[in-house]
Amino acid sequence: MAVSYMDFTSPSVRYTYDLNNNQIFKKDNQNYINSLSVKELNTLGNASLLDIHLSTGNVVEPHTHQNASELVYVISGAAIVSIINPFTKELLNFPVMPGQVALVPQGWWHYEMATADNTHLIAIFDAPVPEFIPGSDLFRLTPANVFAHTYCLDEAKVKETFAPITDTVVIGPPKNCMHQGEVQGQTMHQQQHPSHHNQHYYHQGSPVNRDYELLQQQQQYQQQQQQQLFQQQFQAQEQPQHGAYAADPQRTQAQEQEQLRSQQQLREQERQQFIQQQQQLPFLQRQLIGNGWDQF
C-alpha cells in the first residue's frame, strides 16, 4: 500500500481533477497526451497516469521510464505495445484491444503504435511522477562521432540521419514528416484478433501492414516455386526415357542440377530485391514484422 504524507485536514487537499486541464503534448487534434500526477492531484500517492489519444500509425516514440513500471489499458481503438526484454534480447509485440492491458516493466525500452483511428490508451504508473527518457533525445543529444566510433559507423551518415530530429518527438512521426499523410487520419475497419505472446497485429490496408503482406507474398511465391520444381522432378522420374536422352543418364542428372541452380539463382534474386525493399521502409514498420524477412 502506498504511503501518503498528505495532510487530509488541509484546506488545499484535492480529490478530483480534470485531465483536460493538463495537456502535456499535442501533435494535432487526434494525437495528444494528458497527464495526471501528484502535482495535479495531491492525494494521489504513489501512482500517476497518462491519457493518450492516437490515430492510425502514430507512435508514442521509443522511450523508458527509469523509475516506474507502466500498465497500458486500451479504452478504444487498437494498438501494439512493443517492448525489448533486456534479459532475452527479444523484441516483443503485444496487440491490445479495448479492455485489454499490456505491462512494461520498469526501465524497459518500449513504444506504442496505434493500429486504428480514435485509439485511446491509459498508461498507469507506480510512481507519483513518471520519469521519461525518449529515443529522440538520445539520438539528437549524443554526438554523432560517439555513435560512429562506438558502432563503427560513417559519421557523416549518422549526422545526416539524425539531423531532422531537432526536438523531443513524443508522438511520431513529426508534423513535418514527408510521409505523414500515409499514417495519419485514415479510417480503418477494425478486426478482432486474439492477443498472443510476441504476436504481430495489423489492420487490413493499414500502412504498417504493407511490409507484412509483402513478406507473405514472397513466402507464398517461394513455396509455389518449390512445389513446381518437385512436380517437375517427379514427372521426369515417372516418364519413360527414349533415345539418346535415355541412353545418357549423366545428361539427365546434369540437366536437373542446372535447373536446380537456376531456381536457386531466381530465389536469391527475389530475396535480395525484397531485402532492398524492406531497407527502404521506415524503421518502425520494419520492426513490426520483427525478423520475418530474414528467414529466406
Side-chain angles (χ1 to χ4, degrees):
M1 180 176 179
V3 178
S4 175
Y5 299 98
M6 181 66 204
D7 179 3
F8 289 96
T9 65
S10 170
S12 63
V13 66
R14 297 191 300 274
Y15 300 101
T16 63
Y17 186 79
D18 186 348
L19 271 69
N20 295 309
N21 295 330
N22 190 39
Q23 189 173 95
I24 61 171
F25 181 83
K26 182 176 181 179
K27 175 180 175 179
D28 51 43
N29 290 333
Q30 288 77 44
N31 299 276
Y32 58 90
I33 301 176
N34 301 323
S35 175
L36 178 69
S37 70
V38 71
K39 297 178 181 179
E40 292 75 44
L41 191 62
N42 56 16
T43 56
L44 194 57
N46 195 40
S48 53
L49 64 84
L50 294 178
D51 179 43
I52 304 171
H53 299 259
L54 300 170
S55 59
T56 303
N58 281 267
V59 185
V60 178
E61 68 164 316
H63 61 280
T64 63
H65 304 289
Q66 65 272 33
N67 71 327
S69 299
E70 176 179 353
L71 183 66
V72 181
Y73 175 77
V74 184
I75 294 178
S76 63
I80 298 174
V81 178
S82 299
I83 63 177
I84 292 181
N85 185 324
F87 302 103
T88 64
K89 310 302 181 184
E90 292 179 289
L91 171 64
L92 307 176
N93 299 303
F94 299 102
V96 283
M97 302 288 288
Q100 297 179 340
V101 299
L103 177 68
V104 181
Q106 180 176 336
W108 286 25
W109 189 252
H110 66 284
Y111 51 92
E112 296 91 8
M113 173 179 282
T115 55
D117 283 338
N118 301 314
T119 292
H120 186 186
L121 310 175
I122 296 293
I124 306 168
F125 303 91
D126 55 355
V129 180
E131 298 171 353
F132 173 66
I133 300 180
S136 55
D137 285 357
L138 296 179
F139 297 145
R140 70 187 180 91
L141 298 177
T142 303
N145 65 331
V146 174
F147 279 122
H149 176 73
T150 305
Y151 304 113
C152 192
L153 303 174
D154 186 317
E155 182 177 346
K157 291 183 179 179
V158 173
K159 287 182 178 179
E160 180 182 1
T161 300
F162 293 149
I165 307 177
T166 59
D167 200 355
T168 307
V169 172
V170 184
I171 296 178
K175 286 184 177 181
N176 59 356
C177 176
M178 66 174 61
H179 304 295
Q180 181 68 6
E182 298 180 4
V183 297
Q184 185 175 346
Q186 301 179 13
T187 302
M188 313 307 298
H189 296 288
Q190 196 175 64
Q191 299 178 350
Q192 298 292 333
H193 289 259
S195 177
H196 296 295
H197 172 74
N198 202 23
Q199 183 76 19
H200 306 297
Y201 175 79
Y202 302 93
H203 284 270
Q204 185 176 2
S206 67
V208 296
N209 196 20
R210 295 188 189 121
D211 49 359
Y212 180 68
E213 290 177 346
L214 182 59
L215 172 65
Q216 288 186 321
Q217 291 172 3
Q218 291 285 347
Q219 291 176 334
Q220 291 173 358
Y221 179 76
Q222 285 190 346
Q223 291 175 355
Q224 291 174 357
Q225 292 294 320
Q226 292 174 350
Q227 290 176 355
Q228 291 177 0
L229 177 60
F230 175 79
Q231 290 175 355
Q232 291 172 357
Q233 294 175 342
F234 180 78
Q235 291 174 357
Q237 293 174 356
E238 291 295 318
Q239 292 176 354
Q241 306 300 317
H242 301 282
Y245 185 79
D248 188 4
Q250 293 182 352
R251 180 185 175 186
T252 303
Q253 183 177 5
Q255 287 180 337
E256 291 179 353
Q257 291 177 350
E258 179 62 29
Q259 184 179 27
L260 181 60
R261 281 195 296 269
S262 298
Q263 293 288 345
Q264 291 174 342
Q265 290 175 356
L266 177 62
R267 290 178 58 189
E268 177 62 20
Q269 291 175 358
E270 293 170 349
R271 189 181 77 88
Q272 292 297 332
Q273 182 181 7
F274 180 68
I275 290 176
Q276 291 176 1
Q277 292 173 338
Q278 289 295 309
Q279 290 173 343
Q280 295 174 359
L281 292 170
F283 171 77
L284 286 177
Q285 290 188 19
R286 294 202 309 271
Q287 288 299 305
L288 284 176
I289 65 170
N291 294 326
W293 60 278
D294 289 331
Q295 296 177 2
F296 285 103

